Amino acid sequence: MKNLFDADQRLVILRTLTEAAGYSANCSMLNCVLTNYGHNLSRAAVRAHIRWLEDVGLLKVEVVGEKTLVATITEEGAEVARGVKTVDGVKRPAPGGN
């Protein structure tokens, strides 16, 4: 069950970044969006998802200050968010974007 939640949370992050100005957002903003979608996560869990997505090439990450992560979606990440490409560990979006 945890894998299903992780995959959905990663998709929410990617889809959020496709709609964000500059295709990027910090971990605090992503945490707020995840909460709005019913995922109540710690900031550490959001950072772990961001790092995981970076490791598989779907995000680029910049550290601002001591520990604030700013994530920017890559072209490959945008393809996964749209469902054009699949990556194990990220939920595939439903047709019509739901």
Side-chain angles (χ1 to χ4, degrees):
M1 184 67 94
K2 181 182 180 329
N3 291 342
L4 294 174
F5 282 100
D6 286 346
D8 189 64
Q9 291 158 7
R10 292 169 183 154
L11 177 61
V12 169
I13 290 169
L14 292 176
R15 291 178 73 184
T16 299
L17 293 173
T18 65
E19 298 174 12
Y23 302 102
S24 64
N26 65 39
C27 59
S28 177
M29 291 301 299
L30 293 170
N31 194 17
C32 289
V33 172
L34 284 159
T35 298
N36 287 338
Y37 279 90
H39 295 291
N40 188 16
L41 301 174
S42 68
R43 292 237 177 122
V46 175
R47 284 192 295 271
H49 281 313
I50 290 170
R51 289 301 192 184
W52 187 93
L53 290 163
E54 177 187 36
D55 288 345
V56 297
L58 305 180
L59 299 180
K60 291 183 181 178
V61 178
E62 178 184 356
V63 180
V64 178
E66 289 186 31
K67 60 182 176 178
T68 300
L69 301 181
V70 176
T72 303
I73 196 165
T74 63
E75 184 176 333
E76 184 177 1
E79 290 175 349
V80 172
R82 290 192 316 269
V84 174
K85 184 174 184 174
T86 60
V87 171
D88 286 339
V90 180
K91 180 180 174 184
R92 186 167 187 217
N98 295 322

